[in-house]
Amino acid sequence: MKNTSLTQRQTTPTEPNWQPLNDFAEQKQNDSGLKAWLAVVEGCIRAIEKTAWQGREIADQTVKTWKAMGRGANAVNEEMQILADEMRRWPARLKRLSKTGWMLTKVVASYRLWGTRSAFLPSNMRESALESLHQRNARRFRDTSLEQGGAFLKIGQLLSSRPDLLPQAWVDELAVLQDQANPVPFEGIARVLEQEFGQTLDTLFAHFDPEPLAAASIGQVHRARLHDGRDVAVKVQRPGLEEVVELDMTLLKIFMGAVKSALPPMDIDTIVSEIQRTVREELDYEREARVMTQIGEQLAGIPGITTPALVAEHSSRHVLTTEFVHGRKLTTVLDELHHTDPERLGGVLHRLLDAWFSQVLHGGLFHADPHPGNFIIQSSNRIAMLDFGMVGKLSHSRREQILQITRSVVLREAEQCAAVLSNWSDGQPVRFDQLV
């Protein structure tokens, strides 16, 4: 957070030499906070107006439906379907706006008022008071993320891994979001599957376990068996997520724009855009199916590394079905091998490194969420990579630059490394003496 304690002004004998008051006076001169606060209010009003206009769109659609009666039954049916869709979306958006928007407004307001409050606190109390404020606001954000779920929970998870972006108190509080997502009731999952494929659950699967293997912010995974006897893992997107995700993205942009003056200097707009892109891409399971297949082809030449086979006929934009991978968690196996078989441990780690270099430096398409839960060790000692919702892509020229940087670091060629980094950063100077 930006330090609100400013250098003391030059005072005259008639001026009271009380540092907190002087600090407050200078803070008011430099930035009263009015501009930023107005931006928050304006942003929230825009979000509310957007929701209100959606309400007006419902009214307009009602008029169109009425007029369509003169054009026949088919026209009426089409207009009624559009009206029903709008009516279905609007209450969810309004409810979400009232909860998340109000929480974000309270967080922003508390930080904007901190500049005034801190001016009247003794200097030895400011740090602890600010830390308490961080914790209180982080808990507000955390609790709302857990309650709202979906894209808003995903945003909280992404922010929890950015200590460069948020104060440590925020990172600590949001860390619990990594492993917490309330599962969707089985009825909702079954409804998504039947709507996606136009068939009953019994027609699609010989058996479908109603208890999820894992529940995440975007979807959850169930084990099932096809009628041909194959065991599969079925990832189903949370129902209704696409109805509110754009509102979540709008609220995030408003929020980060309002508090960026209180954060360390960084390109907030680019960071927010990247978070938005990541969330939107994770909503498209057809894209995930494609990149999973492509990465599997890239890794075909690496012994001991595999990806699940896609079951295309049971996959869609909101459902991803793959062969079920039997095995044990990577961390469990590594812990055992550390004590019992160091040589085999080295082999497992070597394969992981081979897989990473093959993706990043050879193929250019790589798994961008390589936490231990996304790796399974099979009985054959093969490593299976899971969950390709987050991937990255590198151009040929960027891969060459990474090779040059790696070589420069190994050979301690600081000037060469700095030159590559400078070119990478569009010509901005890089101090090579800091790279040694």
Side-chain angles (χ1 to χ4, degrees):
M1 297 295 296
K2 182 172 68 177
N3 191 349
T4 58
S5 182
L6 304 176
T7 306
Q8 182 177 352
R9 293 190 302 163
Q10 294 295 322
T11 61
T12 65
T14 59
E15 213 173 359
N17 189 15
W18 184 31
Q19 185 61 38
L21 183 59
N22 293 335
D23 287 347
F24 176 65
E26 289 201 5
Q27 177 71 7
K28 294 292 284 184
Q29 269 190 347
N30 293 339
D31 176 18
S32 66
L34 180 62
K35 181 179 179 182
W37 178 241
L38 287 176
V40 178
V41 174
E42 181 185 356
C44 290
I45 290 173
R46 284 200 305 270
I48 292 170
E49 285 178 341
K50 180 179 179 181
T51 307
W53 275 102
Q54 289 170 348
R56 179 167 178 174
E57 288 170 3
I58 293 175
D60 292 341
Q61 186 60 43
T62 304
V63 174
K64 290 181 181 178
T65 304
W66 178 262
K67 292 179 178 178
M69 290 183 179
R71 302 201 305 271
N74 288 337
V76 172
N77 182 60
E78 292 174 3
E79 297 295 341
M80 286 294 289
Q81 186 60 52
I82 296 173
L83 176 60
D85 290 342
E86 283 300 319
M87 290 288 287
R88 178 171 53 85
R89 292 188 183 101
W90 193 73
R93 290 170 178 167
L94 183 59
K95 180 180 178 182
R96 202 170 188 86
L97 177 63
S98 67
K99 290 181 178 293
T100 57
W102 179 238
M103 180 276 295
L104 294 175
T105 300
K106 288 193 291 186
V107 170
V108 172
S110 68
Y111 280 130
R112 296 313 306 175
L113 293 174
W114 167 254
T116 302
R117 180 189 169 204
S118 63
F120 294 95
L121 288 175
S123 58
N124 62 343
M125 292 179 59
R126 290 179 189 172
E127 184 174 349
S128 61
L130 181 58
E131 183 72 12
S132 297
L133 178 62
H134 287 329
Q135 290 179 346
R136 186 163 59 252
N137 283 333
R139 286 168 186 161
R140 285 171 171 165
F141 196 101
R142 178 201 65 194
D143 293 344
T144 302
S145 296
L146 288 171
E147 179 185 359
Q148 296 298 306
F152 206 81
L153 177 57
K154 185 66 180 181
I155 290 168
Q157 291 173 339
L158 293 172
L159 291 175
S160 72
S161 62
R162 297 301 303 266
D164 59 322
L165 179 61
L166 296 175
Q168 189 60 43
W170 275 76
V171 174
D172 294 340
E173 291 292 339
L174 297 184
V176 302
L177 300 179
Q178 292 293 344
D179 301 316
Q180 293 196 32
N182 296 324
V184 176
F186 176 64
E187 293 75 14
I189 295 298
R191 187 162 51 252
V192 171
L193 289 165
E194 293 177 350
Q195 288 175 348
E196 285 293 303
F197 301 107
Q199 302 178 61
T200 65
L201 199 62
D202 290 340
T203 304
L204 291 168
F205 302 98
H207 172 73
F208 193 95
D209 191 344
E211 293 297 321
L213 293 171
S217 56
I218 301 297
Q220 62 190 50
V221 180
H222 291 257
R223 185 171 181 173
R225 182 175 296 112
L226 301 179
H227 289 287
D228 61 10
R230 284 180 293 168
D231 287 335
V232 294
V234 185
K235 183 160 75 168
V236 184
Q237 191 171 120
R238 290 175 175 269
L241 201 56
E242 289 187 330
E243 311 298 339
V244 295
V245 67
E246 290 305 319
L247 180 58
D248 286 350
M249 297 295 100
T250 300
L251 290 171
L252 172 68
K253 188 171 184 179
I254 292 169
F255 174 64
M256 296 303 295
V259 301
K260 67 180 178 181
S261 62
L263 297 172
M266 62 187 72
D267 189 353
I268 293 293
D269 292 339
T270 299
I271 293 172
V272 171
S273 296
E274 187 66 14
I275 291 175
Q276 292 175 329
R277 181 191 64 81
T278 299
V279 172
R280 290 187 180 112
E281 286 183 351
E282 285 203 59
L283 291 173
D284 187 356
Y285 285 0
E286 290 177 333
R287 173 187 172 278
E288 182 175 348
R290 288 194 301 272
V291 297
M292 179 183 68
T293 302
Q294 291 170 0
I295 291 178
E297 293 170 352
Q298 286 181 187
L299 296 174
I302 307 296
I305 296 289
T306 186
T307 58
L310 174 69
V311 183
E313 63 273 18
H314 284 71
S315 298
S316 68
R317 180 175 174 82
H318 302 113
V319 178
L320 178 61
T321 303
T322 64
E323 66 172 353
F324 188 85
V325 178
H326 298 270
R328 303 169 67 201
K329 290 183 178 180
L330 174 65
T331 50
T332 302
V333 174
L334 292 182
D335 288 342
E336 290 180 359
L337 295 180
H338 177 70
H339 298 289
T340 62
D341 195 342
E343 184 176 348
R344 185 183 166 200
L345 173 64
V348 171
L349 296 176
H350 187 271
R351 285 200 298 276
L352 285 172
L353 192 61
D354 267 357
W356 188 84
F357 276 118
S358 177
Q359 293 173 80
V360 173
L361 300 180
H362 178 66
L365 185 67
F366 62 93
H367 193 300
D369 190 20
H371 67 77
N374 284 336
F375 295 90
I376 294 291
I377 306 295
Q378 299 176 287
S379 57
S380 60
N381 288 335
R382 290 198 309 172
I383 301 173
M385 299 174 60
L386 310 176
D387 194 352
F388 294 82
M390 293 179 64
V391 298
K393 191 170 184 179
L394 295 169
S395 64
H396 180 74
S397 60
R398 187 68 83 205
R399 280 178 273 156
E400 285 187 340
Q401 289 174 322
I402 293 176
L403 278 173
Q404 293 170 2
I405 292 172
T406 303
R407 177 183 180 279
S408 300
V409 170
V410 171
L411 299 179
R412 299 184 65 81
E413 296 176 343
E415 292 190 22
Q416 174 64 21
C417 184
V420 176
L421 289 173
S422 179
N423 180 265
W424 196 333
S425 59
D426 297 325
Q428 296 297 319
V430 176
R431 290 183 56 186
F432 69 85
D433 57 317
Q434 295 179 344
L435 302 173
V436 179

